[in-house]
Amino acid sequence: MTLRVYNTLTRKKEEFVPIEPNKVKMYVCGPTVYNYIHIGNGRPVIFFDVVRRYLESQKYEVTYITNFTDVDDKMIRKAEEMGKTVPQLAETFIQAFLEDTRALGVNDATLNPRVTENIQEIIDFIAVLVDTDYAYESRGDVYYRTSKFADYGKLSHQNLEELQYGIRIEVDDRKENPQDFVLWKAAKPGEISWDSPWGQGRPGWHIECSAMVRKYLGETIDIHGGGQDLTFPHHECEIAQTEAVTGHPMANYWMHNAFLNIDNEKMSKSLNNGILIRELIKQTKPQVYRFFMLLAHYRSPLNFSDDSLTQAANGLERIQNAYDNLKHRLATASASPEGEVEVALKDSVAAIARHFDDKMNDDFNTPDAITAVFDLVAEANVYLTQERVSAAALQHFLDQLNAFDLVLGFLSQSANELLDEEIEQLIIERTESRKTKNWARADEIRDLLTEKGIFLEDTPQGIRWRRK
């Protein structure tokens, strides 16, 4: 099945055809680094990581860029509150972002460009817009002239008249038109700023992505992504800026994930119901949160609650236990020649793998792809009930689970690593205690290990352990 992607621009699923064969240029808008990221921020971070992983699994060479907005009004205010410079504040929260996203199993981007590293490119971009009359200077600010770009509103499917009367825009006598947006902001006294042809100032929000996409990926890219809230005005403005300069489409496919609600309410500052990722993963395994995020299609709203997280934890535990049991049985299984797997088993696993790919090819349908993972787990669990199993068959199951996880990224690969020396010795001692029928000591050791988060299972193949 050919990969089909829902394009926000056309509002339909389209066959994915990259600009260059076997290569994908992908840009996803990153955070403004003035605070720790919350669970709503985690949805695009996790989803687009899965998009990238799946494309790579299909042998595409993916250049994946997500930016850091490291200077804007919020950052200036936050830096003043914390008694830091804006660059100091940015560095603190960039490192925090990387820590949090890596904990969620998100692979590092190919590049994370920062606004402050690309000031000259941004100024040069604005200068072209001014020279071609798409932008104008007004009292040290520079604004984009939306009335000159005939396609303004094509991404959000609105026209200028609808925007003028349907959306509240603050009146500003520096603008020719209320819908015009700022490209360069004149600096206030004491603010961080840079020299420009229009005086001291700094970039507006929208222009940074246009300049960085063109610099690092070219005039037209394959995929531009982000949260639904970025469709308008951010991505709409990016299109207007970029296409006015290049004369080419900015991106061939625009992808947007839907919102995350908390207990059926929109996450907002007024409700004070935001949950920071770094706080959540102190209480819940990060793999559970990642798994939860993939249980709904990315274009569908997702509701976060304690119950939904518990259900996700239970589902993931089923998958993880099957994975760990396969590895445990493999250590004691009868040897089998390489590739000697029962034909029926091999055909069944292949059918499940095709189902997985079919669902991922259908606009990255992760919930149905996860159904395929559960189908594989069910097959594996049935096989594991057999008294005699072959190493080749066990490895075949493991290879397919690993292939799925290479895309979805929620399995813990470390569950069967060696314990530390103290716990190893306790397990050995417990085994000896059982041999000598010292049941009291054996039970005592089991309880001690349980306290340390190590659970033991006595199986015909020996002691099996897992982490809490």
Side-chain angles (χ1 to χ4, degrees):
M1 181 178 176
T2 303
L3 173 61
R4 294 177 64 80
V5 176
Y6 183 87
N7 190 345
T8 307
L9 186 65
T10 61
R11 290 189 176 179
K12 63 182 181 181
K13 292 181 187 177
E14 301 175 355
E15 180 180 346
F16 180 71
V17 181
I19 298 166
E20 296 182 61
N22 304 315
K23 293 186 178 181
V24 177
K25 293 183 288 185
M26 185 173 171
Y27 185 96
V28 177
C29 290
T32 301
V33 286
Y34 71 102
N35 206 340
Y36 299 111
I37 58 172
H38 56 67
I39 59 173
N41 304 135
R43 190 169 196 190
V45 168
I46 291 170
F47 170 67
F48 286 105
D49 177 62
V50 169
V51 170
R52 175 199 188 175
R53 284 166 172 255
Y54 185 66
L55 291 170
E56 289 176 339
S57 78
Q58 302 303 299
K59 309 306 179 187
Y60 287 104
E61 179 187 329
V62 182
T63 303
Y64 181 86
I65 292 183
T66 183
N67 67 302
F68 290 131
T69 299
D70 61 345
V71 59
D72 85 331
D73 290 339
K74 293 176 183 175
M75 295 200 63
I76 290 170
R77 289 195 296 269
K78 188 67 172 281
E80 289 175 354
E81 291 172 10
M82 297 181 67
K84 293 188 174 193
T85 65
V86 170
Q88 287 171 339
L89 180 78
E91 194 60 36
T92 295
F93 289 114
I94 284 172
Q95 293 308 313
F97 174 87
L98 294 173
E99 289 172 9
D100 291 348
T101 55
R102 287 167 182 166
L104 296 174
V106 173
N107 293 330
D108 288 353
T110 308
L111 189 67
N112 294 116
R114 307 184 188 192
V115 175
T116 56
E117 298 170 341
N118 292 277
I119 296 295
Q120 189 57 54
E121 287 80 6
I122 292 170
I123 290 172
D124 293 344
F125 203 108
I126 296 171
V128 174
L129 291 170
V130 172
D131 291 344
T132 54
D133 206 34
Y134 278 96
Y136 57 93
E137 187 271 341
S138 176
R139 286 183 265 171
D141 294 336
V142 181
Y143 293 94
Y144 186 92
R145 186 175 276 120
T146 54
S147 60
K148 187 172 174 64
F149 187 70
D151 285 339
Y152 190 72
K154 67 179 179 179
L155 183 67
S156 53
H157 302 275
Q158 303 170 91
N159 57 42
L160 274 175
E161 186 175 336
E162 289 171 334
L163 291 170
Q164 183 170 354
Y165 295 106
I167 297 176
R168 189 181 74 174
I169 299 177
E170 187 177 346
V171 176
D172 189 335
D173 63 4
R174 291 169 296 181
K175 298 181 182 181
E176 294 178 355
N177 186 308
Q179 286 74 39
D180 294 349
F181 56 88
V182 67
L183 302 173
W184 186 261
K185 303 183 75 168
K188 297 175 183 176
E191 283 187 347
I192 184 171
S193 63
W194 290 264
D195 289 329
S196 81
W198 317 284
Q200 287 282 316
R202 56 188 169 80
W205 177 33
H206 311 306
I207 191 64
E208 63 181 81
C209 291
S210 286
M212 288 190 279
V213 166
R214 187 174 69 152
K215 176 181 177 180
Y216 295 107
L217 294 174
E219 292 189 348
T220 301
I221 65 174
D222 295 294
I223 297 172
H224 197 320
Q228 176 184 328
D229 55 315
L230 298 182
T231 307
F232 184 89
H234 187 52
H235 288 165
E236 195 76 73
C237 295
E238 283 186 48
I239 288 174
Q241 295 161 163
T242 297
E243 297 184 8
V245 168
T246 68
H248 303 296
M250 183 177 186
N252 287 338
Y253 304 90
W254 289 85
M255 299 179 65
H256 297 90
N257 64 273
F259 291 116
L260 176 76
N261 296 321
I262 297 182
D263 293 323
N264 294 309
E265 291 188 299
K266 185 177 179 181
M267 201 182 318
S268 69
K269 290 182 180 178
S270 61
L271 293 173
N272 193 30
N273 62 349
I275 301 172
L276 298 180
I277 285 175
R278 60 179 39 212
E279 295 302 321
L280 177 69
I281 62 179
K282 289 178 182 177
Q283 310 297 325
T284 303
K285 290 180 181 178
Q287 295 96 331
V288 170
Y289 171 68
R290 182 181 176 105
F291 182 70
F292 162 75
M293 281 291 190
L294 301 177
L295 288 173
H297 191 276
Y298 76 96
R299 288 189 288 111
S300 298
L302 179 59
N303 186 58
F304 178 94
S305 67
D306 289 342
D307 286 345
S308 62
L309 203 62
T310 298
Q311 290 171 12
N314 293 337
L316 180 56
E317 186 176 21
R318 282 177 56 201
I319 300 171
Q320 186 70 55
N321 283 345
Y323 182 79
D324 294 343
N325 287 334
L326 286 165
K327 292 182 75 173
H328 176 65
R329 287 295 298 272
L330 184 61
T332 58
S334 61
S336 183
E338 185 68 26
E340 186 182 306
V341 181
E342 294 91 332
V343 173
L345 187 153
K346 187 179 292 186
D347 288 346
S348 179
V349 170
I352 292 170
R354 285 194 300 273
H355 179 68
F356 180 92
D357 282 340
D358 285 347
K359 295 307 178 182
M360 289 300 293
N361 281 331
D362 183 16
D363 193 30
F364 306 100
N365 188 339
T366 57
D368 283 357
I370 289 172
T371 298
V373 179
F374 279 117
D375 289 343
L376 184 67
V377 164
E379 293 267 351
N381 285 339
V382 170
Y383 187 76
L384 286 166
T385 61
Q386 298 179 188
E387 185 176 345
R388 293 181 60 83
V389 294
S390 75
L394 294 168
Q395 189 62 58
H396 193 61
F397 278 119
L398 282 168
D399 289 345
Q400 190 57 65
L401 273 172
N402 282 325
F404 289 162
D405 193 58
L406 199 64
V407 174
L408 301 175
F410 48 58
L411 283 177
S412 172
Q413 302 292 330
S414 61
N416 280 330
E417 288 177 353
L418 289 177
L419 299 168
D420 62 40
E421 186 176 347
E422 176 191 6
I423 297 177
E424 282 185 357
Q425 291 303 315
L426 286 170
I427 290 176
I428 292 170
E429 184 184 347
R430 180 175 179 272
T431 301
E432 291 301 315
S433 296
R434 287 171 61 82
K435 286 180 180 177
T436 60
K437 299 185 179 182
N438 186 351
W439 308 118
R441 179 56 180 162
D443 290 345
E444 183 182 352
I445 292 171
R446 175 189 282 274
D447 293 343
L448 180 60
L449 291 172
T450 299
E451 290 176 9
K452 293 178 177 290
I454 304 296
F455 291 87
L456 303 181
E457 298 172 10
D458 296 307
T459 75
Q461 294 79 31
I463 294 177
R464 161 92 170 84
W465 65 268
R466 61 184 175 88
R467 296 188 187 277
K468 183 177 181 180

